[in-house]
Amino acid sequence: MTRGLEVDFIDPEFQADPHPTYAAWRRTGPVRRTRLPSGLSAWVVTRYDDARRALADPRLSKQSAFSVGSSEAANRAASPASILSRHMLAADPPDHTRLRRLVSAAFTARRIESLRPRIEEITRDLLDAMEGKDQVDLIDAFAFPLPIQVICELLGVPPDDRDAFRDWSNVIVAGSQSGDRLEPAIRAMVGYILALIAERRATPGTDLLSGLIQVRDSEDRLTESELSSMVFLLLIAGHETTVNLIGNGTYLLLRDRDQWERLRAEPALLPTAIEEFLRFEGPVETSTFRVATEDLEIGGVTVRAGDPVIVVLLSANRDEARFPDAGVLRLDRTQNPHLAFGHGIHYCLGAPLARMEAQIAFTQLMTRHPDLRLAIAAEDLRWRPGLLLRGLHDLPVSLWTWHDGGRVRPS
């Protein structure tokens, strides 16, 4: 067992660029016992093949992970947090099978595709609001409000409450690094979700939440705690992944103008480019916790029953043994079986929605602002704290350019 290369996960230098550390781990100890920011010691899996097998291994239990309180988000707080751990991401079969079947009945491909015109409209409105400004924070003005508005409309959350959800989400996904703000954020979100469900139960609509309340499979339906937990999962996962996909992808293109110009010149590359953004600087850094239910081997290391395990998706997707030129952003990479949305039974249910939102966002952004540029040096950008998600705190961009000593609008 290799133990070296201890890392301070909350060090801003590590958070700004964790890839060298993960590359060293892949070479010297791809499955290692490491102390996480919460204080928990866990096995960390960093190579692609090991990661893919671990994500699909039924001996690594999600349900057991939540029962021992190893989640860095909801489960370190008191009783209100327990309501947030009864969704399908925290369940094993047969519970997971049942929950996913019930949610999938409301979260259909047809419902997602029907959102396309509205997503296009929201995107246009956000870009309209940026008109005439010299500089904006693209996360605040575009990457965040697009997916949060989509998921909130899908679930029937009132517009005035969306900023509160952003604040709660930022605290919860940062986990133990949020300190004494974590429990109040969880309590606030739990209270809000319970009230929203009660309102929709009394006055059903055509939104997804009303559908989740009403959905049945024979005599089976979601319990009240399962429903509350599922709404929490959809709200957090339904916007966080897309915020970071849009933000990280734009950052990658703007830090290298050749990539931006190539994608503008070859818009047909956009679908493969989005998959490459997901691989190269994916929106989710690590999987949520799993716990070994029996002794097992991962990458030549024996993991004992009861040991926590996390998979570093960000590292697996840069594994040189699986991806040629893994450290190079290739917009035309066609063989790209990345793990950004997970693998196995917990593969992200919202992946089609995230991809649709990203395609619409990048298409309109590059059309409306072809001369978009970083307003500060790439190395000065701040990354959000926490190990679960990988995303920028802000992304200042310039909407104007300078020519012959004067300011001109990008054409």
Side-chain angles (χ1 to χ4, degrees):
M1 178 178 68
T2 304
R3 287 187 178 273
L5 290 172
E6 288 298 320
V7 167
D8 179 2
F9 288 106
I10 65 174
D11 183 347
E13 185 175 343
F14 170 81
Q15 293 180 334
D17 187 10
H19 298 291
T21 297
Y22 292 145
W25 285 6
R26 290 194 300 272
R27 292 191 303 270
T28 62
V31 181
R32 63 175 63 235
R33 197 71 179 259
T34 304
R35 188 167 298 281
L36 302 175
S38 63
L40 181 74
S41 179
W43 292 101
V44 176
V45 181
T46 57
R47 285 182 182 167
Y48 181 91
D49 287 343
D50 297 332
R52 195 171 189 274
R53 283 192 290 267
L55 291 171
D57 194 328
R59 297 171 297 175
L60 293 174
S61 166
K62 286 293 197 77
Q63 218 149 300
S64 297
F66 278 82
S67 70
V68 298
S70 60
S71 167
E72 287 193 280
N75 291 281
R76 290 184 61 82
S79 56
S82 65
I83 201 170
L84 304 182
S85 63
R86 299 190 176 104
H87 49 71
M88 59 192 178
L89 190 60
D92 302 326
D95 292 340
H96 174 273
T97 308
R98 168 182 165 271
L99 290 170
R100 185 148 183 143
R101 182 178 64 246
L102 287 168
V103 175
S104 297
F107 204 74
T108 63
R110 176 178 293 182
R111 184 190 288 267
I112 298 307
E113 182 58 33
S114 72
L115 296 173
R116 183 180 295 275
R118 180 59 181 144
I119 296 172
E120 291 173 341
E121 181 182 18
I122 294 170
T123 304
R124 285 194 300 271
D125 290 345
L126 292 171
L127 292 172
D128 286 347
M130 290 163 52
E131 287 292 333
K133 297 180 179 179
D134 294 359
Q135 180 179 313
V136 299
D137 171 9
L138 201 71
I139 303 297
D140 188 62
F142 187 65
F144 168 76
L146 172 57
I148 194 65
Q149 188 166 342
V150 171
I151 195 64
C152 284
E153 287 188 7
L154 187 60
L155 284 166
V157 174
D160 291 345
D161 299 332
R162 291 167 195 167
D163 285 343
F165 269 109
R166 182 185 191 182
D167 293 339
W168 298 333
S169 178
N170 282 337
V171 171
I172 290 170
V173 299
S176 60
Q177 295 182 47
S178 295
D180 58 8
R181 295 182 298 157
L182 180 58
E183 185 173 344
I186 293 173
R187 289 180 180 274
M189 183 169 275
V190 168
Y192 183 87
I193 289 172
L194 291 173
L196 186 64
I197 290 171
E199 180 182 329
R200 285 294 176 278
R201 196 182 298 280
T203 312
T206 59
D207 52 81
L208 178 60
L209 177 53
S210 297
L212 289 170
I213 291 171
Q214 297 164 13
V215 71
R216 286 180 176 272
D217 185 354
S218 185
E219 293 303 309
D220 191 17
R221 67 188 309 168
L222 294 170
T223 67
E224 195 75 5
S225 59
E226 289 169 345
L227 182 60
S228 302
S229 190
M230 195 62 66
V231 172
F232 165 77
L233 175 64
L234 292 173
L235 280 167
I236 297 290
H239 82 276
E240 286 284 4
T241 299
T242 310
V243 171
N244 295 340
L245 172 53
I246 296 171
N248 295 359
T250 305
Y251 152 76
L252 292 173
L253 293 173
L254 294 183
R255 76 173 188 177
D256 183 349
R257 293 295 302 181
D258 289 344
Q259 300 281 24
W260 174 268
E261 297 300 341
R262 181 184 181 188
L263 193 53
R264 283 192 58 229
E266 302 177 61
L269 283 178
L270 183 56
T272 57
I274 288 172
E275 298 308 309
E276 183 69 343
F277 301 154
L278 287 163
R279 182 197 72 84
F280 191 81
E281 200 73 82
V284 181
E285 185 160 351
T286 68
S287 69
T288 52
F289 282 84
R290 289 160 167 80
V291 164
T293 58
E294 60 183 75
D295 291 358
L296 62 117
E297 183 180 296
I298 306 176
V301 171
T302 298
V303 175
R304 300 298 182 186
D307 284 353
V309 176
I310 64 170
V311 174
V312 185
L313 306 176
L314 205 66
S315 174
N317 287 335
R318 292 268 193 117
D319 189 344
E320 302 84 350
R322 182 61 186 85
F323 299 97
D325 299 322
V328 177
L329 183 73
R330 286 175 38 190
L331 301 183
D332 58 356
R333 189 185 298 269
T334 54
Q335 300 300 315
N336 198 352
H338 62 75
L339 301 175
F341 288 123
H343 174 66
I345 64 172
H346 292 289
Y347 184 83
C348 179
L349 184 67
L353 177 59
R355 286 185 168 107
M356 179 194 295
E357 289 175 315
Q359 288 194 22
I360 293 169
F362 282 111
T363 296
Q364 292 199 30
L365 180 65
M366 299 184 82
T367 300
R368 294 279 292 273
H369 295 286
D371 202 46
L372 193 73
R373 295 177 187 274
L374 290 177
I376 63 174
E379 57 268 24
D380 292 333
L381 292 168
R382 297 178 299 159
W383 293 83
R384 293 170 63 185
L387 261 184
L388 180 60
L389 296 175
R390 174 69 175 161
L392 289 160
H393 183 273
D394 46 19
L395 183 59
V397 294
S398 296
L399 305 180
W400 298 71
T401 190
W402 291 84
H403 182 69
D404 292 335
R407 191 182 71 168
V408 297
R409 286 295 306 276
S411 56

